[in-house]
């Protein structure tokens, strides 16, 4: 119903649900983009640290983003499809993407430890976001990845993570901090101790103590993810 009220739909047809939606809508103004299907109105071709944008087989531009990860390329392709379909020049689009600094706390580089580990911070607290962040680190070349995660609220932990306990696969070490309760009361069924067991992670009851132990660790990178108390980790490094 919402899409029918819109003048234009810009759709990522690599998402099966989105593709199914637009196929049954018969909307008069649909612009599609994709990283997998060249038949889309705008196709993005990954080229190592950059990507090229095509329209009907013609390459419009190639650009490198300051933000790492395929999920950011999807964001860039969506922005490109919107701008280009509204008449913005490809030169302007490419320049804007190249200059975009990205959003803070989205795979943001913090510093390097004395042992050489790169420390990143990311706001991800949903399984899809967590997996995208870890995939981006893997694509960048990191292999010994340590992930520190703090779940946000008991209710979200209960229904969002159900059955998605493999999202940390590929990490050398996983530490899960106490659930950030926010407005909620304690719920043992959604406590981070249980999530740690199901994910094959280590429950870490104290952020300061964990940070002290990680200072001398031999990882390629350490990524702190989630909302709440985890934003305080910087003062312990």
């Amino acid at each position: 119903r919402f899409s029918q009220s819109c003048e234009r739909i810009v759709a990522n047809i690599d998402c099966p649900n989105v593709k199914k939606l637009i196929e049954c809508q018969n909307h008069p103004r649909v612009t599609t983009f994709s990283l997998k299907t060249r038949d889309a109105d705008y196709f993005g071709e990954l080229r190592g640290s950059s990507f090229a944008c095509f329209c009907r087989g013609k390459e419009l531009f190639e650009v490198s983003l300051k933000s790492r990860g395929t999920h950011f390329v999807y964001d860039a392709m969506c922005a490109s499809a919107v701008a280009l379909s509204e008449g913005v020049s490809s030169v302007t689009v490419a320049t804007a993407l190249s200059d975009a600094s990205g959003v803070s706390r989205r795979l943001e580089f913090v510093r390097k430890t004395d042992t050489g580990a790169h420390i990143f911070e990311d706001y991800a607290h949903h399984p899809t976001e967590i997996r995208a962040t870890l995939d981006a680190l893997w694509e960048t070349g990191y292999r010994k990845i340590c992930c520190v995660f703090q779940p946000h609220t008991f209710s979200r932990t209960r229904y969002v993570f159900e059955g998605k306990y493999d999202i940390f696969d590929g990490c050398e070490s996983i530490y899960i901090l106490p659930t950030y309760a926010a407005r909620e009361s304690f719920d043992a069924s959604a406590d981070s101790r249980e999530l740690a067991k199901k994910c094959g992670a280590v429950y870490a009851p104290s952020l300061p103590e964990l940070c002290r132990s990680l200072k001398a660790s031999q990882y390629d990178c350490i990524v702190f993810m989630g909302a709440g108390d985890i934003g305080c980790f910087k003062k312990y490094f």
Side-chain angles (χ1 to χ4, degrees), residues 47-68:
R47 295 177 177 177
S49 60
S50 65
F51 78 94
C53 179
F54 291 80
C55 179
R56 300 181 185 86
K58 178 184 177 182
E59 182 173 332
L60 301 180
F61 59 81
E62 181 176 349
V63 68
S64 294
L65 303 176
K66 292 183 173 67
S67 300
R68 302 171 175 87

Side-chain angles (χ1 to χ4, degrees), residues 63-190:
V63 68
S64 294
L65 303 176
K66 292 183 173 67
S67 300
R68 302 171 175 87
T70 304
H71 55 305
F72 285 115
V73 178
Y74 272 111
D75 289 345
M77 280 300 300
C78 183
S80 300
V82 171
L84 293 167
S85 63
E86 292 297 325
V88 179
S89 73
S90 57
V91 173
T92 300
V93 173
T95 301
L97 292 176
S98 179
D99 291 344
S101 59
V103 181
S104 63
R105 296 199 69 201
R106 286 297 189 189
L107 204 52
E108 180 180 5
F109 176 73
V110 177
R111 64 175 61 94
K112 190 176 180 180
T113 66
D114 293 338
T115 58
H118 291 182
I119 302 178
F120 293 90
E121 182 177 14
D122 197 285
Y123 188 69
H125 49 277
H126 181 283
T128 304
E129 297 170 337
I130 293 170
R131 189 64 251 173
T133 295
L134 295 175
D135 285 345
L137 289 171
W138 188 262
E139 292 166 6
T140 304
Y142 296 105
R143 291 298 176 263
K144 297 178 67 176
I145 300 172
C146 173
C147 177
V148 181
F149 174 65
Q150 182 176 38
H152 189 270
T153 72
F154 297 103
S155 59
R156 179 177 291 166
T157 301
R158 187 188 308 107
Y159 72 80
V160 169
F161 285 88
E162 185 65 39
K164 298 181 177 67
Y165 305 121
D166 60 348
I167 55 172
F168 298 102
D169 285 0
C171 292
E172 182 155 314
S173 298
I174 312 156
Y175 296 94
I176 296 184
L177 296 166
T179 303
Y180 186 74
R183 61 197 174 276
E184 298 180 347
S185 301
F186 179 78
D187 182 350
S189 67

Side-chain angles (χ1 to χ4, degrees), residues 11 13 16-27 30:
I13 57 172
N17 288 334
V18 171
K19 186 177 181 180
K20 181 179 178 181
L21 176 67
I22 63 172
E23 285 176 346
C24 69
Q25 286 282 330
N26 195 31
H27 194 282
V30 176

Side-chain angles (χ1 to χ4, degrees), residues 1-32:
R1 289 196 300 269
F2 176 76
S3 65
Q4 286 297 331
S5 69
C6 298
E7 292 186 15
R8 180 193 295 275
I9 298 174
V10 179
N12 173 13
I13 57 172
D14 291 348
C15 174
N17 288 334
V18 171
K19 186 177 181 180
K20 181 179 178 181
L21 176 67
I22 63 172
E23 285 176 346
C24 69
Q25 286 282 330
N26 195 31
H27 194 282
R29 298 184 70 195
V30 176
T31 300
T32 60

